[in-house]
Amino acid sequence: MLSVILSPWAARAVGDERVHEGRYNHTMYIIAIAWLYVALMAAISDTTVVGGVLTFVFLGLLPMSLFLWLFGTPARRRKLREKDDGIDAGTDQNASDRNQ
């Protein structure tokens, strides 16, 4: 319960080792939402509709998709590693069952 209330750094400071078990960092989403808000405000203040849409796409959506993809890579790798470890553990157990 304490790790849910506290930030990941504070939870790690009090000794909770299970802070990032396959989950994305929530700070990453706060940054993305804030940037999309700024890009939306810039797009709304543009003088034409086409200019507003292009502003939102090129200053909001494209940079955020790149940001989320790059900063989400560690979590995706961690999930893939956990999946591979589960498959390896299952095949090792099946092999030991066949040997008996």
Side-chain angles (χ1 to χ4, degrees):
M1 179 68 178
L2 186 62
S3 65
V4 173
I5 297 170
L6 298 175
S7 69
W9 301 280
R12 196 171 290 138
V14 295
D16 190 0
E17 299 296 328
R18 302 170 293 119
V19 174
H20 289 292
E21 288 182 353
R23 295 186 311 206
Y24 287 106
N25 189 354
H26 297 292
T27 308
M28 176 177 66
Y29 291 117
I30 293 171
I31 292 170
I33 291 168
W35 182 255
L36 287 175
Y37 174 77
V38 170
L40 182 65
M41 292 299 114
I44 289 173
S45 69
D46 208 340
T47 56
T48 64
V49 174
V50 174
V53 169
L54 291 176
T55 298
F56 186 70
V57 168
F58 287 112
L59 292 180
L61 293 180
L62 291 179
M64 272 305 99
S65 63
L66 179 64
F67 172 78
L68 293 173
W69 179 68
L70 288 175
F71 283 86
T73 299
R76 284 194 309 273
R77 285 184 183 167
R78 192 171 30 251
K79 282 185 113 169
L80 183 62
R81 193 177 316 122
E82 290 172 0
K83 181 180 173 185
D84 289 344
D85 290 345
I87 292 172
D88 291 342
T91 57
D92 291 343
Q93 186 176 6
N94 289 340
S96 65
D97 290 342
R98 280 182 263 161
N99 290 337
Q100 291 177 350

